Amino acid sequence: MSRPYSKIQFLLFLFLGLWIRPLAVGQNLGRGINLGNMFEAPSETAWGNPFKEEYISQIASLGFTHIRMPIRWDVPERAQLTEPYTLNPVFLARVKSVVDLAISKNLYVIINMHHHDEMFTNPAASKVRFLKQWAQISAYFKGYNDRLLFEVLNEPHDALTPELWNVYFADALTEIRKTNPDRKVLLGTASYGGLGGVKELNPPNDPNLILSIHYYNPFNFTHQGADWAGLKDKYIGTKWEDLTWERNQVISEFDYAIQWAKQKKMPLHVGEFGSYELADMESRARWTTYLARYFESQGLSWAYWEYSAGFGIYTPASATFKQPLVDALVKNPMPAVRTLPTKNIYDMQGTGGWNLNLNSGALGTLLGAGNGFKVTMSNVTGTAWHIQASRAGFPLTYKKRYVVKLKAQADKTLSITAYMGRSSNPYNAYSAYNGLSIEPNEKEFSFIFTMNDPYDANARLSLDMGSATGTLQINSIQVDEIVEEVPLATQESPNSAQVFPNPFQDQLFFKSPESQEVRLMDLHGKIRQLTPHSTEGNWDTAALPEGTYLVQFISDKTGQSESHVVHKQGNK
C-alpha cells in the first residue's frame, strides 16, 4: 500500500537518505482540516454546508497535508438498518470520489464513522450492524495505499462506556484487519473523545494504531454563543489571551496523553480543535496559533475543526478566507507568552474551611498533610461528585477574571474535576469543569475563568474525585484575581518615566512627568508594590528576593502603559 514512485525517484531518495515511509510517525500526517458539517449531516445538504470539489484544491494550496472526513453512515438513505445491513453503493461511490480527489492532490485522508447514534444509547442492539458496516467499508477501500486512514468511531459516549469501547474497538479492528492488515487506524477515547478518556483505553496489540484526541478547552471560550452546547448568551465576550496560566492549562492537560502515547509507541493525532465564530477573532487566532504550534512542538499531527461552517476558516457565501485563522494554522510562529498582574485572594495553609462531601454510599476521608490535605477514596460509585472536597468563601466579582493554581499527586493515576461555582442550590459552575489527571509525581495545574454571574461573596471551589478508589494529595492551592488587562511588556518601552537605581537593593525610586499608577511586579505578574496617582515616590524593597522585576507606569489620563526592567541585587 505504499505510494508509487518511479525507479529514478526511488534511487534518488536512497542516494540522498530521504526515503521515509509515509506515516512512520504521527507527525507525518502534519497539518490537517476537517470537512465538517458536510458528510456527517443526515444528508449532504441538510446543514447548509455541502461539499464543493474546489475545497480540496484550496486546502492543498494552503499547505495542509491531510483532511479528516467525518461521515454519517447509519441513516436509511445510506445504509440498510436491518439485515444484511448493506451500505448504499451510490453513497460509497460518493465517498470514494472525495477520497480520490484528495489523494490526487497529495493529501492524506481520514474517513470515520460519525453520529452512529444508536451505538451511544443501545450499543448491544447496534453492534452487529456497526461491525458489518465496517466490514463493507474496509473491503470497498482495501486496494488503497496508505494515503487513506480509517477512524473507527467519533466520540464514543453515554451507554458506550470506556469498558465497552475497548471491546467494540477491538472487534471492529478485527473486521478491518481481514481486508486491510496494515492500514493505519485511529483510536479515539470514550467520554466524547477527550483527554480524560486516555487512561481508560486498553488498545489491542497492533503496530498501526494512532491515538486520536479532541480538544475544545476552555469550553466556555471555544463554544461561547453555541446554542446546541447550552452556551447561547452567558459566555459571549470570553477571551483567550495567550497568558502563562492559559498555556499551562493546555500543557498540563496534554501531559498524560503524550506520555501514554510514547509508552505505547503510538503516534498522537489531535483530530478536532476549534473555536466557534461568536468568539472574538483576535482570541480565536491567539488560541489557534498557540495550539497548532504547541502540538507541532510535541510531535503531534492535527486537524482543525473545520473548513467552511461555524468554526471554519472559509466563508462559502463570499468565497473568502478568514485570514487570521488561516495564518494561525499555517503561518504564524509561536508567539512570546503574555502575562498580567494578579492579586492573591487565597493561598492554602492547611485544611481550614475544607470539607469532604460523601454521597450515595461513597466512602472517604480527608486529613491534613503539610500545607494541604490528603483524601483517601475507599468506596466509590463511579460518579465523580459523590466524593467531593470543597471550600466556600471565595469572593468573586462580576466580569472579573480569576486564575486557580494547584499542585497535586496521587498513589496512581486518578482523574478529578476542578471548578469554581455557587455554594448553594442550584450549585452552578462559574468556571468550566476542568478535568485533571493526577499522577504519582507532583504536577501543577491551572485554569482561568471570567465571573459571568452577579457578585458572589461565598463562591465554592470543588474537587470531584469519586471516580476511582485511591489516595490523592493536594499540596497547594492558590486563587488569584487578575487585576487589569494591561499586558506586561517583554522589553522596555520607549521611556518617559524614570526608575533608579538599577540595579537596586533596599530602595527603588521612580519619577514620571504626569500622574500615573506605578506598579512593581515580579515576572509572574504578581504585584509587589503599588502606588496610585503619583508623579514620584519610592518603595522599601529590602524584603524582596534577588532577581528581575518590572516597573509599570499606567497613565491616569490615557490608560497607556510603559514598562521598565529592573534588577534586585543582594547586599554585599
Side-chain angles (χ1 to χ4, degrees), residues 154-178:
N154 182 71
E155 297 185 354
H157 60 275
D158 290 352
L160 189 54
T161 63
E163 295 76 18
L164 271 182
W165 173 232
N166 284 326
V167 175
Y168 281 42
F169 177 84
D171 291 345
L173 186 65
T174 298
E175 290 297 324
I176 291 168
R177 291 292 177 241
K178 290 176 182 178

PDB file of all heavy atoms in Angstrom, residues 154-178:
ATOM      1  N   ASN A 154     -16.384   8.190  16.007  1.00  0.00           N
ATOM      2  CA  ASN A 154     -16.208   9.527  16.572  1.00  0.00           C
ATOM      3  C   ASN A 154     -16.850   9.638  17.949  1.00  0.00           C
ATOM      4  O   ASN A 154     -18.027   9.340  18.130  1.00  0.00           O
ATOM      5  CB  ASN A 154     -16.855  10.566  15.646  1.00  0.00           C
ATOM      6  CG  ASN A 154     -16.660  11.985  16.152  1.00  0.00           C
ATOM      7  OD1 ASN A 154     -15.569  12.521  16.108  1.00  0.00           O
ATOM      8  ND2 ASN A 154     -17.734  12.594  16.667  1.00  0.00           N
ATOM      9  N   GLU A 155     -16.073  10.042  18.933  1.00  0.00           N
ATOM     10  CA  GLU A 155     -16.529  10.437  20.269  1.00  0.00           C
ATOM     11  C   GLU A 155     -17.497   9.455  20.914  1.00  0.00           C
ATOM     12  O   GLU A 155     -18.658   9.794  21.186  1.00  0.00           O
ATOM     13  CB  GLU A 155     -17.139  11.839  20.219  1.00  0.00           C
ATOM     14  CG  GLU A 155     -16.135  12.902  19.802  1.00  0.00           C
ATOM     15  CD  GLU A 155     -16.677  14.314  19.868  1.00  0.00           C
ATOM     16  OE1 GLU A 155     -17.883  14.486  20.141  1.00  0.00           O
ATOM     17  OE2 GLU A 155     -15.891  15.255  19.643  1.00  0.00           O
ATOM     18  N   PRO A 156     -17.079   8.231  21.212  1.00  0.00           N
ATOM     19  CA  PRO A 156     -17.948   7.316  21.971  1.00  0.00           C
ATOM     20  C   PRO A 156     -18.360   7.956  23.294  1.00  0.00           C
ATOM     21  O   PRO A 156     -17.573   8.667  23.930  1.00  0.00           O
ATOM     22  CB  PRO A 156     -17.046   6.098  22.211  1.00  0.00           C
ATOM     23  CG  PRO A 156     -15.968   6.205  21.179  1.00  0.00           C
ATOM     24  CD  PRO A 156     -15.761   7.661  20.923  1.00  0.00           C
ATOM     25  N   HIS A 157     -19.586   7.687  23.730  1.00  0.00           N
ATOM     26  CA  HIS A 157     -20.058   8.283  24.982  1.00  0.00           C
ATOM     27  C   HIS A 157     -21.308   7.568  25.480  1.00  0.00           C
ATOM     28  O   HIS A 157     -21.802   6.633  24.847  1.00  0.00           O
ATOM     29  CB  HIS A 157     -20.347   9.786  24.804  1.00  0.00           C
ATOM     30  CG  HIS A 157     -21.388  10.099  23.768  1.00  0.00           C
ATOM     31  ND1 HIS A 157     -21.072  10.222  22.423  1.00  0.00           N
ATOM     32  CD2 HIS A 157     -22.724  10.308  23.844  1.00  0.00           C
ATOM     33  CE1 HIS A 157     -22.164  10.504  21.739  1.00  0.00           C
ATOM     34  NE2 HIS A 157     -23.185  10.558  22.582  1.00  0.00           N
ATOM     35  N   ASP A 158     -21.809   8.027  26.619  1.00  0.00           N
ATOM     36  CA  ASP A 158     -23.036   7.535  27.259  1.00  0.00           C
ATOM     37  C   ASP A 158     -23.006   6.018  27.429  1.00  0.00           C
ATOM     38  O   ASP A 158     -22.107   5.499  28.077  1.00  0.00           O
ATOM     39  CB  ASP A 158     -24.269   8.010  26.485  1.00  0.00           C
ATOM     40  CG  ASP A 158     -24.503   9.516  26.631  1.00  0.00           C
ATOM     41  OD1 ASP A 158     -23.806  10.149  27.457  1.00  0.00           O
ATOM     42  OD2 ASP A 158     -25.339  10.070  25.909  1.00  0.00           O
ATOM     43  N   ALA A 159     -23.957   5.300  26.842  1.00  0.00           N
ATOM     44  CA  ALA A 159     -24.036   3.856  27.080  1.00  0.00           C
ATOM     45  C   ALA A 159     -22.844   3.100  26.523  1.00  0.00           C
ATOM     46  O   ALA A 159     -22.561   1.970  26.953  1.00  0.00           O
ATOM     47  CB  ALA A 159     -25.330   3.296  26.485  1.00  0.00           C
ATOM     48  N   LEU A 160     -22.145   3.675  25.564  1.00  0.00           N
ATOM     49  CA  LEU A 160     -20.915   3.066  25.075  1.00  0.00           C
ATOM     50  C   LEU A 160     -19.799   3.503  26.027  1.00  0.00           C
ATOM     51  O   LEU A 160     -19.047   4.446  25.787  1.00  0.00           O
ATOM     52  CB  LEU A 160     -20.617   3.489  23.642  1.00  0.00           C
ATOM     53  CG  LEU A 160     -19.471   2.743  22.937  1.00  0.00           C
ATOM     54  CD1 LEU A 160     -19.678   1.238  22.986  1.00  0.00           C
ATOM     55  CD2 LEU A 160     -19.329   3.206  21.501  1.00  0.00           C
ATOM     56  N   THR A 161     -19.709   2.811  27.148  1.00  0.00           N
ATOM     57  CA  THR A 161     -18.807   3.157  28.245  1.00  0.00           C
ATOM     58  C   THR A 161     -17.357   2.891  27.845  1.00  0.00           C
ATOM     59  O   THR A 161     -17.078   2.190  26.864  1.00  0.00           O
ATOM     60  CB  THR A 161     -19.137   2.325  29.481  1.00  0.00           C
ATOM     61  OG1 THR A 161     -18.921   0.931  29.155  1.00  0.00           O
ATOM     62  CG2 THR A 161     -20.592   2.521  29.920  1.00  0.00           C
ATOM     63  N   PRO A 162     -16.401   3.420  28.614  1.00  0.00           N
ATOM     64  CA  PRO A 162     -14.999   3.130  28.312  1.00  0.00           C
ATOM     65  C   PRO A 162     -14.693   1.633  28.251  1.00  0.00           C
ATOM     66  O   PRO A 162     -13.923   1.183  27.401  1.00  0.00           O
ATOM     67  CB  PRO A 162     -14.244   3.818  29.458  1.00  0.00           C
ATOM     68  CG  PRO A 162     -15.119   4.965  29.839  1.00  0.00           C
ATOM     69  CD  PRO A 162     -16.523   4.453  29.683  1.00  0.00           C
ATOM     70  N   GLU A 163     -15.294   0.866  29.151  1.00  0.00           N
ATOM     71  CA  GLU A 163     -15.054  -0.571  29.159  1.00  0.00           C
ATOM     72  C   GLU A 163     -15.602  -1.220  27.894  1.00  0.00           C
ATOM     73  O   GLU A 163     -14.929  -2.041  27.252  1.00  0.00           O
ATOM     74  CB  GLU A 163     -15.695  -1.204  30.395  1.00  0.00           C
ATOM     75  CG  GLU A 163     -15.101  -0.770  31.726  1.00  0.00           C
ATOM     76  CD  GLU A 163     -15.530   0.624  32.159  1.00  0.00           C
ATOM     77  OE1 GLU A 163     -16.539   1.149  31.631  1.00  0.00           O
ATOM     78  OE2 GLU A 163     -14.846   1.203  33.031  1.00  0.00           O
ATOM     79  N   LEU A 164     -16.828  -0.854  27.514  1.00  0.00           N
ATOM     80  CA  LEU A 164     -17.410  -1.408  26.289  1.00  0.00           C
ATOM     81  C   LEU A 164     -16.647  -0.951  25.053  1.00  0.00           C
ATOM     82  O   LEU A 164     -16.453  -1.723  24.111  1.00  0.00           O
ATOM     83  CB  LEU A 164     -18.874  -0.978  26.163  1.00  0.00           C
ATOM     84  CG  LEU A 164     -19.946  -1.849  26.808  1.00  0.00           C
ATOM     85  CD1 LEU A 164     -21.320  -1.266  26.528  1.00  0.00           C
ATOM     86  CD2 LEU A 164     -19.866  -3.281  26.302  1.00  0.00           C
ATOM     87  N   TRP A 165     -16.213   0.290  25.059  1.00  0.00           N
ATOM     88  CA  TRP A 165     -15.497   0.821  23.902  1.00  0.00           C
ATOM     89  C   TRP A 165     -14.227   0.024  23.636  1.00  0.00           C
ATOM     90  O   TRP A 165     -13.890  -0.250  22.472  1.00  0.00           O
ATOM     91  CB  TRP A 165     -15.196   2.298  24.111  1.00  0.00           C
ATOM     92  CG  TRP A 165     -14.316   2.907  23.057  1.00  0.00           C
ATOM     93  CD1 TRP A 165     -13.178   3.623  23.260  1.00  0.00           C
ATOM     94  CD2 TRP A 165     -14.492   2.871  21.635  1.00  0.00           C
ATOM     95  NE1 TRP A 165     -12.637   4.043  22.069  1.00  0.00           N
ATOM     96  CE2 TRP A 165     -13.416   3.586  21.046  1.00  0.00           C
ATOM     97  CE3 TRP A 165     -15.454   2.299  20.801  1.00  0.00           C
ATOM     98  CZ2 TRP A 165     -13.281   3.741  19.680  1.00  0.00           C
ATOM     99  CZ3 TRP A 165     -15.309   2.450  19.423  1.00  0.00           C
ATOM    100  CH2 TRP A 165     -14.243   3.161  18.873  1.00  0.00           C
ATOM    101  N   ASN A 166     -13.509  -0.376  24.658  1.00  0.00           N
ATOM    102  CA  ASN A 166     -12.314  -1.198  24.449  1.00  0.00           C
ATOM    103  C   ASN A 166     -12.656  -2.484  23.696  1.00  0.00           C
ATOM    104  O   ASN A 166     -11.920  -2.915  22.800  1.00  0.00           O
ATOM    105  CB  ASN A 166     -11.672  -1.537  25.791  1.00  0.00           C
ATOM    106  CG  ASN A 166     -10.911  -0.363  26.384  1.00  0.00           C
ATOM    107  OD1 ASN A 166     -10.325   0.450  25.669  1.00  0.00           O
ATOM    108  ND2 ASN A 166     -10.900  -0.262  27.702  1.00  0.00           N
ATOM    109  N   VAL A 167     -13.782  -3.085  24.035  1.00  0.00           N
ATOM    110  CA  VAL A 167     -14.204  -4.331  23.381  1.00  0.00           C
ATOM    111  C   VAL A 167     -14.660  -4.058  21.953  1.00  0.00           C
ATOM    112  O   VAL A 167     -14.264  -4.756  21.008  1.00  0.00           O
ATOM    113  CB  VAL A 167     -15.331  -5.007  24.193  1.00  0.00           C
ATOM    114  CG1 VAL A 167     -15.867  -6.233  23.454  1.00  0.00           C
ATOM    115  CG2 VAL A 167     -14.832  -5.386  25.580  1.00  0.00           C
ATOM    116  N   TYR A 168     -15.492  -3.047  21.775  1.00  0.00           N
ATOM    117  CA  TYR A 168     -16.055  -2.767  20.454  1.00  0.00           C
ATOM    118  C   TYR A 168     -14.972  -2.319  19.475  1.00  0.00           C
ATOM    119  O   TYR A 168     -15.008  -2.672  18.297  1.00  0.00           O
ATOM    120  CB  TYR A 168     -17.146  -1.692  20.552  1.00  0.00           C
ATOM    121  CG  TYR A 168     -18.481  -2.210  21.036  1.00  0.00           C
ATOM    122  CD1 TYR A 168     -18.564  -3.125  22.084  1.00  0.00           C
ATOM    123  CD2 TYR A 168     -19.672  -1.780  20.464  1.00  0.00           C
ATOM    124  CE1 TYR A 168     -19.782  -3.591  22.543  1.00  0.00           C
ATOM    125  CE2 TYR A 168     -20.902  -2.245  20.905  1.00  0.00           C
ATOM    126  CZ  TYR A 168     -20.940  -3.146  21.952  1.00  0.00           C
ATOM    127  OH  TYR A 168     -22.154  -3.609  22.391  1.00  0.00           O
ATOM    128  N   PHE A 169     -14.018  -1.517  19.959  1.00  0.00           N
ATOM    129  CA  PHE A 169     -12.931  -1.112  19.072  1.00  0.00           C
ATOM    130  C   PHE A 169     -12.130  -2.325  18.613  1.00  0.00           C
ATOM    131  O   PHE A 169     -11.798  -2.454  17.423  1.00  0.00           O
ATOM    132  CB  PHE A 169     -12.003  -0.109  19.754  1.00  0.00           C
ATOM    133  CG  PHE A 169     -10.825   0.274  18.893  1.00  0.00           C
ATOM    134  CD1 PHE A 169     -10.944   1.275  17.944  1.00  0.00           C
ATOM    135  CD2 PHE A 169      -9.610  -0.399  18.998  1.00  0.00           C
ATOM    136  CE1 PHE A 169      -9.873   1.612  17.114  1.00  0.00           C
ATOM    137  CE2 PHE A 169      -8.535  -0.073  18.175  1.00  0.00           C
ATOM    138  CZ  PHE A 169      -8.681   0.934  17.235  1.00  0.00           C
ATOM    139  N   ALA A 170     -11.792  -3.209  19.549  1.00  0.00           N
ATOM    140  CA  ALA A 170     -11.021  -4.401  19.189  1.00  0.00           C
ATOM    141  C   ALA A 170     -11.772  -5.264  18.179  1.00  0.00           C
ATOM    142  O   ALA A 170     -11.176  -5.794  17.227  1.00  0.00           O
ATOM    143  CB  ALA A 170     -10.698  -5.204  20.448  1.00  0.00           C
ATOM    144  N   ASP A 171     -13.087  -5.386  18.353  1.00  0.00           N
ATOM    145  CA  ASP A 171     -13.883  -6.187  17.419  1.00  0.00           C
ATOM    146  C   ASP A 171     -13.923  -5.538  16.031  1.00  0.00           C
ATOM    147  O   ASP A 171     -13.835  -6.221  15.005  1.00  0.00           O
ATOM    148  CB  ASP A 171     -15.301  -6.369  17.955  1.00  0.00           C
ATOM    149  CG  ASP A 171     -15.343  -7.270  19.186  1.00  0.00           C
ATOM    150  OD1 ASP A 171     -14.340  -7.967  19.441  1.00  0.00           O
ATOM    151  OD2 ASP A 171     -16.369  -7.257  19.894  1.00  0.00           O
ATOM    152  N   ALA A 172     -14.062  -4.209  16.002  1.00  0.00           N
ATOM    153  CA  ALA A 172     -14.066  -3.512  14.711  1.00  0.00           C
ATOM    154  C   ALA A 172     -12.708  -3.626  14.036  1.00  0.00           C
ATOM    155  O   ALA A 172     -12.619  -3.816  12.811  1.00  0.00           O
ATOM    156  CB  ALA A 172     -14.441  -2.044  14.907  1.00  0.00           C
ATOM    157  N   LEU A 173     -11.636  -3.519  14.822  1.00  0.00           N
ATOM    158  CA  LEU A 173     -10.297  -3.648  14.248  1.00  0.00           C
ATOM    159  C   LEU A 173     -10.093  -5.038  13.645  1.00  0.00           C
ATOM    160  O   LEU A 173      -9.461  -5.179  12.589  1.00  0.00           O
ATOM    161  CB  LEU A 173      -9.246  -3.369  15.318  1.00  0.00           C
ATOM    162  CG  LEU A 173      -7.796  -3.325  14.832  1.00  0.00           C
ATOM    163  CD1 LEU A 173      -7.579  -2.151  13.884  1.00  0.00           C
ATOM    164  CD2 LEU A 173      -6.834  -3.241  16.021  1.00  0.00           C
ATOM    165  N   THR A 174     -10.641  -6.055  14.298  1.00  0.00           N
ATOM    166  CA  THR A 174     -10.557  -7.418  13.752  1.00  0.00           C
ATOM    167  C   THR A 174     -11.201  -7.491  12.372  1.00  0.00           C
ATOM    168  O   THR A 174     -10.657  -8.105  11.441  1.00  0.00           O
ATOM    169  CB  THR A 174     -11.220  -8.415  14.710  1.00  0.00           C
ATOM    170  OG1 THR A 174     -10.505  -8.409  15.964  1.00  0.00           O
ATOM    171  CG2 THR A 174     -11.210  -9.826  14.139  1.00  0.00           C
ATOM    172  N   GLU A 175     -12.351  -6.861  12.215  1.00  0.00           N
ATOM    173  CA  GLU A 175     -13.021  -6.841  10.905  1.00  0.00           C
ATOM    174  C   GLU A 175     -12.162  -6.102   9.876  1.00  0.00           C
ATOM    175  O   GLU A 175     -12.007  -6.542   8.733  1.00  0.00           O
ATOM    176  CB  GLU A 175     -14.392  -6.171  11.021  1.00  0.00           C
ATOM    177  CG  GLU A 175     -15.427  -6.973  11.784  1.00  0.00           C
ATOM    178  CD  GLU A 175     -15.740  -8.299  11.092  1.00  0.00           C
ATOM    179  OE1 GLU A 175     -15.745  -8.346   9.834  1.00  0.00           O
ATOM    180  OE2 GLU A 175     -15.959  -9.282  11.805  1.00  0.00           O
ATOM    181  N   ILE A 176     -11.601  -4.969  10.265  1.00  0.00           N
ATOM    182  CA  ILE A 176     -10.788  -4.167   9.346  1.00  0.00           C
ATOM    183  C   ILE A 176      -9.555  -4.953   8.911  1.00  0.00           C
ATOM    184  O   ILE A 176      -9.173  -4.947   7.727  1.00  0.00           O
ATOM    185  CB  ILE A 176     -10.402  -2.835  10.011  1.00  0.00           C
ATOM    186  CG1 ILE A 176     -11.638  -1.942  10.170  1.00  0.00           C
ATOM    187  CG2 ILE A 176      -9.325  -2.105   9.213  1.00  0.00           C
ATOM    188  CD1 ILE A 176     -11.424  -0.735  11.054  1.00  0.00           C
ATOM    189  N   ARG A 177      -8.931  -5.641   9.849  1.00  0.00           N
ATOM    190  CA  ARG A 177      -7.688  -6.346   9.539  1.00  0.00           C
ATOM    191  C   ARG A 177      -7.894  -7.538   8.591  1.00  0.00           C
ATOM    192  O   ARG A 177      -6.928  -8.001   7.975  1.00  0.00           O
ATOM    193  CB  ARG A 177      -7.005  -6.806  10.837  1.00  0.00           C
ATOM    194  CG  ARG A 177      -6.447  -5.643  11.659  1.00  0.00           C
ATOM    195  CD  ARG A 177      -5.284  -4.983  10.947  1.00  0.00           C
ATOM    196  NE  ARG A 177      -4.753  -3.823  11.667  1.00  0.00           N
ATOM    197  CZ  ARG A 177      -4.719  -2.599  11.195  1.00  0.00           C
ATOM    198  NH1 ARG A 177      -5.201  -2.336   9.974  1.00  0.00           N
ATOM    199  NH2 ARG A 177      -4.209  -1.618  11.885  1.00  0.00           N
ATOM    200  N   LYS A 178      -9.104  -8.007   8.439  1.00  0.00           N
ATOM    201  CA  LYS A 178      -9.364  -9.103   7.497  1.00  0.00           C
ATOM    202  C   LYS A 178      -9.047  -8.679   6.063  1.00  0.00           C
ATOM    203  O   LYS A 178      -8.630  -9.498   5.241  1.00  0.00           O
ATOM    204  CB  LYS A 178     -10.819  -9.552   7.601  1.00  0.00           C
ATOM    205  CG  LYS A 178     -11.157 -10.282   8.898  1.00  0.00           C
ATOM    206  CD  LYS A 178     -12.644 -10.613   8.963  1.00  0.00           C
ATOM    207  CE  LYS A 178     -12.997 -11.301  10.275  1.00  0.00           C
ATOM    208  NZ  LYS A 178     -14.462 -11.589  10.382  1.00  0.00           N
TER     209      LYS A 178
END
